[in-house]
Every structure is written in structure tokens, then in C-alpha cells.
Amino acid sequence: MSETQPEFKKVALIGTGAMGQGIAQICAQSGSLVYLFDTRPGAAEEAQKAIKDQWSRMAQKSKITEDQQSTFSARLISAHSLEALSDADLVIEAIVERMDVKRELFSKLESIVNSACVLVTNTSSLSVTAIAASLKVPGRFAGFHFFNPVPLMKVVEVIAGLKTVPLVCERLTAYSRQMGHTPVRALDTPGFIVNHAGRGYLTEALRIASESVCDFATIDLVLKDQAGFRLGPFELMDLTALDVSHPVMESIYHQYYEETRYRPSYITAQRLAGGVLGKKVGEGFYKYENNLKQNPPEAPAPVIDKLPPVWVSARAARRASLLQMLKHFGVVIETAAAPSNEALCVVAPLGLDVTTVAILERLDPARTVGIDLLFPDESTKRRVIATNPATREDMSRSAHALFAMDGKAVSVIRDSGGFITQRVIANIVNIASDMCQQSICSPEDLNTAVTLGLGYPSGPLQFGDQLGPDNILETLMNLQTVYGDQRYRPSPWLRRRGALGISLMQREQP
Ligand code: NAI
């Protein structure tokens, strides 16, 4: 909480709902005098009280001093007309998400505020350029996109519209830092950074579910235990509720003119229509009792008297560590070029499904299973084994028992190009790469925005670099082969860096 001279001394918050209150709180904490204005009578006073109550709780917990509490409180002023905002240096709009209402508001403001005043919108889905289009001076207008709850979500997108003057973004960036937030700079494009980069996680999980690869809960468990996500995609959709998340998926898809990478799913459309919205209605992808998620039971690993010998494909990803794991389990490992007639054949492809690998390598599909080793085994809490439509039940049970021998959780799923984690991670990295290719933001800001805004364990490009851009590229190319879907076509950013063997963070000169 900086107490230096704030970049904007007088800030007006228009719309004092959830977002307006949060933004007003951090503006006042950074030293600005804050006007609160809302068209609903009494709303500004209610907001003022709510923010003061928040400071009182913070003081009780010794997060701020009593002196700070009273200093901050004295900085909040309820305004009862737009005219009362005339001496503001910065006006932040956080009203209803409607283009016509926002445009009308800014047109009125233009004739009220002084010529140096900066005007910003907190919109999450409308075009900043389009809101500014009706202004006489669009150069002073920008997007300033915070996340809910504002004081805790310490990232803000600073968005330049087509006509925004660079100095405006620089001032907003400096002010963000004074508020203790990390600013990231974005071009005015649908979803800006965070809501755009977040497309890969949900839509690919929905595609996996729509192929009946496994149930929703397994997809969640796998992505949490293998890739380190805090919430699985279906848990996340249950929390945000489908009346919020499905329209966002549709909106971004259409705004990018039906780009296949963002294609939504009938699964969420149908659940939305049926009112199965998520936790807030007690039923979503999970059932909730007394507000608690009910987890479906997991199948225990089968007990097998005698495991078959195991043969590992010469082309398996992380083959040396896979062989080490099998050695540690104490099973018989076949070392000949081709498997015996009894062997369980283990393949570990990137992007390809088990069926394709079994056919390509002339293996008996009845005895062939796949294991996902995109992430090193030692960094994961769960192994994922995929069967194929011809896999014999005894072989699938043996594989399950085998890979659970050291007590690690194992999920057995149906055949899927790229299992679960590969598909989802490759999509996240690909979408992020294409955002860099489009110059929507810098690679650094992309990673920062996604880790702070979405809580991912790594930024998308960091994921790509850790796992190897060449491996992600191979995964995507193979996914495209398996599914014939343009959705998986690699972005030129990833294609070039993967082929050259260089970091996904590397920009091209000049
Ligand atoms: P909210 O419904 O809690 O608050 C909106 C407030 O604006 C209400 O108090 C309403 O009375 C007032 N209002 C409506 N029209 C007005 C007008 N013409 N002039 C003055 N006040 C007016 O909404 P919330 O959630 O605070 O969102 C506000 C804006 O922030 C929206 O544009 C939304 O897209 C954006 N946003 C919301 C996020 C969220 O998670 N809720 C995240 C990021 C952005």
C-alpha cells in the first residue's frame, strides 16, 4: 500500500457494485481521493459503508493500522451527480456490461471532466475501441480490466484501443503498481489476455468428455494430479456457473469468427438450457450436498496374481525413465525388438492415440496400452493409462495393477489422441503462442496474466518451455493427424520455435 503521491489524485468510480467497490478500495489505499457514483439511489453510500467495513476487518486482523483505516475512510466521497466528478483526474467505469449504456455515459462525461482527465472502462467483454468510437477525444480512453475480487486478484489488464495515446497506458501502468497490482499490457482484442488464454483449458476438457474418454471427475483429477492445476476444469465451471462461463465461450468463439481453437461444446449449452448450472444450484458436473462437492468413488487398482512380461516401444516418450520404473516394480521386461506373444505392450506417444501407434508399430492391439509421459513421472501424482478398442480386459487390468504397484494413483481411460493432459496443455500453449504471434501482449505479460489471473501453476509459455516446445509441437501435429481437426494446427509462433529448438519466450528481431 503505497503512500507516495498517487499518479491520479482524484479518481471517480462509476458503478459501485462488486467491481466498483473493489477498485475504489485499492484506489483509496494507494492515496487517491475517490468519488463513488451510481445511478441507483443509495448505492454509493452502501458501497462506501461496505468498503469501510472491509477496512475495519483488516484493522482487526492487523493488516492495516487504525490510522490507515481512518485515513483511507476519509478518502471516500459519495457523489450524487456526474457533474460532481468534474475535477477527477481518472474516471473508472464499472457499470452494466452494455455498449449503448457505456457509450452514453462517456459521451456525457466528456463535457463534464477536464481535458486532462483519463477515461477508462473495466469491461471484460466489449471492445474498448468501440466504446471510444463515439468520443470526441478517444486518445484519452483505455481499458482497465480488473478481476474479482479486486483486492485479492493482483493483476490488471491495461488495454490500448486503436486510438489510445501511449502515455495514457503508461500512466495507468504506473498507477496499477502504486495500487499493489501487477499491470499487463494488452491490445484491444476479444477476451484481452486472461479470458482469451483461458480458452484452452475448458474447451479441450469438454472435447475429451464429449468423446467419452472418461468421466468428468477423472479429467479433473488427472489435470490436477499431473499438471498441478488447483481446480479441474469441471470443478471450475461448477464454481463460475454455466450461465456465466458458457456465454463467454460462445462470445469469444464468435468474436474470433468461429476459430476452431475456441469452439464451445454442446455439453455446456445443454446443461445451461437444463438449469444444471453448477454449485450455486446444487448440481453441476458434480452433485453438492450442504454446499459440499460429492466426489464419485475411484476404481481401486485390481489385484493380479501374476503380471505378464512387459515390452516397451522403442519410440516411447521418456523411455529410459519408463524402463527404470518397470525395473523398480520388479516385473519381467522384454528387451527384444518385438514383443513375445504374452507381453503387455506399453507405448508412450505424444499426441497419437494408442490405436494408431499399435497399427504403426505392428503390435497386437489386444495387448497394447499407452501411458502419458509428457510430464516426467516423478513430477506427477497420478499415472494415466489408455486402452484401445481392442485391448483385452486382462491386459487393461494388468496395466492398471502394474502402474499402481508403488501406490501412485492410476486412471485408466479409453483411447484418446494425447490422453488428457497432453491435449489440454498443448492447446493452452498453442493458444498462448498464437496470442504472441498476434502481438496481443508480450510473452512475459502473458505468463504473468495467466498465473495471477487464472491461478495456473505455470504460465502457458513456461509450460511449453518446461516440457519442450518440440514435444508440444509434435503433440499438436499428431493430434491434427488423429482428429483431422484444424483446432490442433500449431500456431506459427510455436511451429517455428519448436522446429528451431528455441524458447517460446523468444521474440523475433527487429
Ligand atoms: P454489478 O451489477 O455488481 O454493479 C454494477 C453497478 O453499476 C450497479 O450498482 C448499478 O446500479 C450500476 N449502474 C448501472 N448502470 C449505471 C449507469 N449508467 N451509471 C452509473 N451506475 C450504473 O456489476 P459488476 O460485477 O461490479 O460489474 C461491473 C462491470 O465490471 C461490468 O462491465 C463487468 O463486465 C465488469 N467486470 C466484472 C467482473 C466480475 O467478475 N463481476 C470482472 C471484470 C470486469
Side-chain angles (χ1 to χ4, degrees):
M1 289 170 207
S2 161
E3 279 300 319
T4 52
Q5 193 69 268
E7 179 70 34
F8 298 99
K9 290 195 188 74
K10 292 180 184 170
V11 177
L13 245 302
I14 303 190
T16 58
M19 293 305 289
Q21 287 178 26
I23 302 168
Q25 181 187 329
I26 61 168
C27 287
Q29 286 171 190
S30 75
S32 302
L33 193 70
V34 181
Y35 298 118
L36 297 163
F37 176 76
D38 198 290
T39 42
R40 186 172 65 77
E45 286 76 11
E46 284 166 28
Q48 200 171 347
K49 180 173 182 311
I51 302 167
K52 285 181 181 171
D53 287 348
Q54 180 64 21
W55 283 323
S56 155
R57 282 191 292 274
M58 286 166 75
Q60 276 161 18
K61 291 184 195 162
S62 303
K63 289 188 176 165
I64 55 173
T65 62
E66 282 182 10
D67 275 357
Q68 279 177 314
Q69 183 191 349
S70 56
T71 313
F72 296 163
S73 299
R75 290 182 187 145
L76 294 182
I77 300 167
S78 296
H80 296 106
S81 69
L82 284 181
E83 284 69 23
L85 314 176
S86 63
D87 63 347
D89 307 313
L90 169 68
V91 177
I92 305 176
E93 168 272 309
I95 65 167
V96 59
E97 189 76 330
R98 271 181 49 190
M99 178 65 77
D100 55 338
V101 185
K102 290 193 197 271
R103 276 186 166 172
E104 193 193 331
L105 170 70
F106 283 112
S107 292
K108 278 190 202 156
L109 277 170
E110 254 194 328
S111 57
I112 294 172
V113 295
N114 63 59
S115 61
C117 178
V118 169
L119 305 175
V120 298
T121 175
N122 179 46
T123 183
S124 47
S125 62
L126 302 175
S127 157
V128 171
T129 305
I131 300 174
S134 55
L135 293 182
K136 291 192 200 95
V137 190
R140 61 157 137 177
F141 188 84
F144 205 26
H145 184 218
F146 290 86
F147 297 83
N148 196 14
V150 178
L152 300 182
M153 298 293 288
K154 293 193 172 291
V155 62
V156 53
E157 295 175 332
V158 176
I159 301 135
L162 269 185
K163 297 192 175 168
T164 308
V165 171
L167 179 64
V168 165
C169 291
E170 278 155 33
R171 292 190 66 198
L172 292 170
T173 300
Y175 189 49
S176 310
R177 292 209 176 91
Q178 289 177 335
M179 293 190 287
H181 270 46
T182 302
V184 287
R185 302 275 285 261
L187 283 190
D188 180 25
T189 46
F192 311 127
I193 307 177
V194 172
N195 287 343
H196 185 171
R199 292 309 92 207
Y201 195 48
L202 303 185
T203 60
E204 193 57 26
L206 285 161
R207 280 186 68 86
I208 295 168
S210 71
E211 281 169 29
S212 311
V213 169
C214 57
D215 59 15
F216 304 127
T218 301
I219 297 174
D220 280 349
L221 286 171
V222 168
L223 287 164
K224 288 191 292 182
D225 289 352
Q226 287 206 317
F229 288 98
R230 261 184 265 157
L231 283 177
F234 297 98
E235 291 171 330
L236 184 62
M237 281 187 276
D238 269 5
L239 277 188
T240 22
L242 291 185
D243 53 344
V244 175
S245 46
H246 181 78
V248 174
M249 287 189 241
E250 285 203 334
S251 152
I252 301 235
Y253 176 60
H254 293 307
Q255 286 187 76
Y256 276 106
Y257 297 103
E258 285 74 44
E259 164 58 61
T260 52
R261 292 189 186 114
Y262 315 130
R263 192 191 300 128
S265 167
Y266 73 90
I267 294 177
T268 47
Q270 190 199 46
R271 286 171 168 260
L272 172 58
V276 187
L277 304 181
K279 187 175 179 186
K280 70 179 180 187
V281 297
E283 189 180 3
F285 293 104
Y286 296 87
K287 287 206 176 354
Y288 295 82
E289 278 169 26
N290 300 326
N291 240 358
L292 282 180
K293 176 163 80 77
Q294 304 299 302
N295 293 316
E298 275 203 74
V303 180
I304 306 280
D305 288 343
K306 189 169 182 299
L307 288 168
V310 182
W311 177 91
V312 174
S313 162
R315 293 186 222 166
R318 302 189 197 275
R319 186 167 190 268
S321 95
L322 177 54
L323 287 170
Q324 195 57 41
M325 190 196 311
L326 294 170
K327 206 171 147 194
H328 175 67
F329 292 159
V331 284
V332 176
I333 304 170
E334 293 192 358
T335 51
S340 71
N341 286 339
E342 288 77 47
L344 169 71
C345 308
V346 179
V347 299
L350 292 177
L352 290 178
D353 57 358
V354 179
T355 302
T356 306
V357 181
I359 301 299
L360 284 176
E361 297 194 20
R362 297 175 191 277
L363 303 172
D364 175 5
R367 293 183 286 121
T368 305
V369 297
I371 180 167
D372 185 354
L373 286 173
L374 176 66
F375 280 82
D377 184 67
E378 58 276 14
S379 76
T380 66
K381 289 195 251 162
R382 178 176 295 268
R383 299 189 181 107
V384 174
I385 308 298
T387 55
N388 71 77
T391 306
R392 276 193 340 238
E393 200 197 339
D394 62 314
M395 284 293 160
S396 127
R397 283 168 54 81
S398 293
H400 190 167
L402 169 68
F403 287 105
M405 274 178 85
D406 56 355
K408 200 168 198 170
V410 172
S411 294
V412 181
I413 63 171
R414 297 191 190 92
D415 208 356
S416 157
F419 303 85
I420 294 169
T421 303
Q422 290 179 19
R423 286 174 77 154
V424 171
I425 294 293
N427 265 280
I428 290 172
V429 177
N430 198 32
I431 287 170
S433 296
D434 214 57
M435 290 172 68
C436 293
Q437 189 68 49
Q438 294 174 51
S439 303
I440 290 173
C441 57
S442 71
E444 292 78 12
D445 275 1
L446 200 145
N447 282 332
T448 304
V450 171
T451 41
L452 293 178
L454 296 173
Y456 286 7
S458 285
L461 302 170
Q462 286 162 334
F463 260 138
D465 276 351
Q466 282 157 16
L467 299 167
D470 51 343
N471 289 330
I472 303 290
L473 181 61
E474 183 180 338
T475 302
L476 285 164
M477 287 167 125
N478 286 336
L479 279 166
Q480 215 186 336
T481 304
V482 171
Y483 293 106
D485 193 333
Q486 287 296 306
R487 170 182 182 76
Y488 301 110
R489 73 192 189 286
S491 160
W493 184 279
L494 172 62
R495 182 181 281 274
R496 292 175 189 142
R497 286 156 186 77
L500 293 166
I502 59 175
S503 164
L504 294 177
M505 301 296 290
Q506 185 147 334
R507 281 175 245 219
E508 190 169 341
Q509 300 300 327

